[in-house]
């Protein structure tokens, strides 16, 4: 199933995308797309989507699920991306955090912070945890997945790499975590290591990749992380980006206000963000 949340920011309603790509309401069936939904996929699969009310118009799509206690990201997880970044190929996963305040809807604007000047893009596969996970074996790890989604790991490279290599500072600014448009349930993705990804800037193709090229696969990452922290239902893992980021171009290319980023996957849907300057407010 393809779960969505639609409506104004803070007032989203639960829904799903039917086989014809139409938005339908799940109101009255579930209160939210959250851990309660992750825990009963069999019951929800019995729903006749065609019997659900159609949602008219083109409402805003929000983050397709709630309950993200941790937004974990993996760096340099594609060999060609590590090479373009001129960094060593990792021998174990590089783990960093994106603060949950960075989370935004798939088509919401990305706000460039005051003073930022190296704003970059990264299309990624997101993995959503479905049940409490601790010390899980790699062979069992995918059983703990609720579903998959698209993530843009927006990054301010000056903050990330020119302030003592503070990766978290350059990754977690407000609006730097667009998620969605859908949460695709685990049963619809036969192999998370065969998902196509792409990203355009102003209509020009920048990134093309497939998750088969990850250095550390999804099951390995879940098992690895579960040895260092308890993963909870709704926790999100952004699994790294293929090559083609702005930092790696010659000369480097960074996002400016007015630029439009579109990204997507045949399996996971598409996102669209316009870059805008963040309003400056006194502290």
């Amino acid at each position: 199933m393809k779960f969505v949340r639609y409506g104004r920011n803070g007032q989203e309603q639960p829904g799903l995308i039917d086989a014809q790509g139409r938005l339908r309401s799940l109101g009255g069936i579930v209160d939210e797309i959250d851990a309660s939904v992750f825990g009963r996929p069999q019951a929800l699969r019995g729903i006749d989507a065609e019997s659900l009310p159609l949602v008219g118009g083109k409402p805003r799509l929000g983050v397709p699920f709630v309950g993200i206690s941790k937004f974990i990201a993996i760096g340099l997880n594609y060999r060609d991306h590590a090479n373009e970044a001129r960094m060593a190929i990792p021998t174990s996963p590089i783990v960093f955090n994106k603060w949950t305040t960075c989370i935004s809807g798939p088509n919401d604007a990305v706000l460039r912070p005051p003073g930022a000047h190296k704003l970059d893009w990264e299309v990624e596969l997101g993995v959503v945890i479905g049940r409490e996970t601790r010390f899980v074996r790699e062979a069992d790890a995918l059983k703990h997945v609720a579903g998959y989604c698209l993530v843009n790991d927006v990054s301010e490279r000056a903050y990330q790499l020119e302030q003592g290599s503070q990766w978290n500072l350059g990754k977690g600014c407000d609006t730097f975590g667009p998620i969605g448009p859908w949460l695709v349930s685990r049963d619809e993705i036969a192999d998370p290591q065969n998902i196509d990804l792409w990203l355009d800037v102003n209509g020009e193709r920048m990134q093309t990749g497939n998750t088969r090229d990850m250095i550390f696969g999804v099951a390995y990452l879940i098992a690895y992380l579960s040895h260092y922290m308890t993963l909870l239902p709704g926790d999100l893992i952004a699994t790294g980006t293929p090559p083609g980021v702005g930092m790696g171009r010659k000369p480097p290319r960074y996002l400016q206000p007015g630029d439009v980023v579109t990204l997507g996957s045949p399996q996971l849907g598409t996102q669209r963000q316009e870059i805008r300057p963040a309003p400056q407010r006194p502290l």
Side-chain angles (χ1 to χ4, degrees):
M1 302 182 80
K2 295 181 176 70
F3 296 106
V4 297
R5 296 171 66 250
Y6 63 94
R8 294 181 179 179
N9 191 7
Q11 301 178 22
E12 293 91 345
Q13 301 295 316
L16 60 77
I17 303 298
D18 68 17
Q20 287 74 44
R22 297 173 297 188
L23 174 60
R24 293 182 178 269
S25 171
L26 276 172
I29 296 176
V30 300
D31 294 326
E32 260 296 7
I33 309 299
D34 59 8
S36 66
V37 171
F38 305 157
R40 56 189 185 107
Q42 296 292 344
L44 290 174
R45 275 198 289 271
I47 295 173
D48 178 12
E50 300 298 318
S51 69
L52 298 175
L54 284 167
V55 178
K58 295 183 178 181
R60 169 188 174 271
L61 295 180
V63 178
F65 60 98
V66 297
I68 306 174
S69 74
K70 292 186 285 297
F71 191 166
I72 307 162
I74 307 299
L76 305 179
N77 198 25
Y78 289 72
R79 193 174 303 273
D80 288 345
H81 174 52
N83 288 335
E84 72 176 353
R86 301 177 184 86
M87 296 181 183
I89 304 298
T91 56
S92 60
I94 295 173
V95 182
F96 61 93
N97 295 318
K98 290 179 75 73
W99 317 124
T100 54
T101 48
C102 83
I103 292 170
S104 60
N107 303 316
D108 294 344
V110 168
L111 304 180
R112 190 176 74 168
H117 60 284
K118 293 185 177 180
L119 193 66
D120 209 344
W121 57 83
E122 294 190 8
V123 60
E124 306 200 6
L125 167 67
V127 179
V128 182
I129 299 299
R131 55 189 168 114
E132 188 170 304
T133 303
R134 185 186 300 110
F135 301 120
V136 70
R137 298 185 307 160
E138 184 176 354
D140 297 324
L142 294 184
K143 299 174 185 176
H144 292 243
V145 172
Y148 303 93
C149 60
L150 195 67
V151 173
N152 187 359
D153 177 17
V154 181
S155 308
E156 169 50 45
R157 301 301 187 189
Y159 294 177
Q160 177 190 357
L161 301 172
E162 298 173 13
Q163 298 185 17
S165 191
Q166 295 280 354
W167 279 38
N168 292 343
L169 295 184
K171 296 286 192 170
C173 300
D174 292 355
T175 73
F176 278 23
I179 300 169
W182 314 318
L183 169 64
V184 183
S185 58
R186 185 184 74 203
D187 60 294
E188 290 205 10
I189 302 292
D191 181 5
Q193 301 309 145
N194 187 23
I195 294 177
D196 292 319
L197 301 168
W198 58 267
L199 182 144
D200 295 350
V201 176
N202 299 331
E204 180 182 353
R205 183 59 44 95
M206 298 295 178
Q207 290 186 275
T208 303
N210 186 284
T211 57
R212 72 171 69 93
D213 296 323
M214 285 181 182
I215 298 170
F216 307 104
V218 171
Y220 182 90
L221 290 172
I222 294 170
Y224 180 86
L225 292 169
S226 78
H227 278 69
Y228 296 94
M229 67 194 80
T230 299
L231 300 172
L232 300 175
D235 283 354
L236 175 62
I237 305 168
T239 56
T241 195
V245 300
M247 176 178 64
R249 298 179 70 84
K250 297 180 181 178
R253 175 173 173 179
Y254 297 113
L255 295 167
Q256 306 297 323
D259 285 344
V260 174
V261 179
T262 50
L263 56 148
S265 161
Q267 298 95 324
L268 303 175
T270 60
Q271 298 185 2
R272 180 189 185 278
Q273 296 110 32
E274 181 180 345
I275 310 303
R276 299 178 187 169
Q280 299 192 40
R281 300 186 180 94
L283 296 177

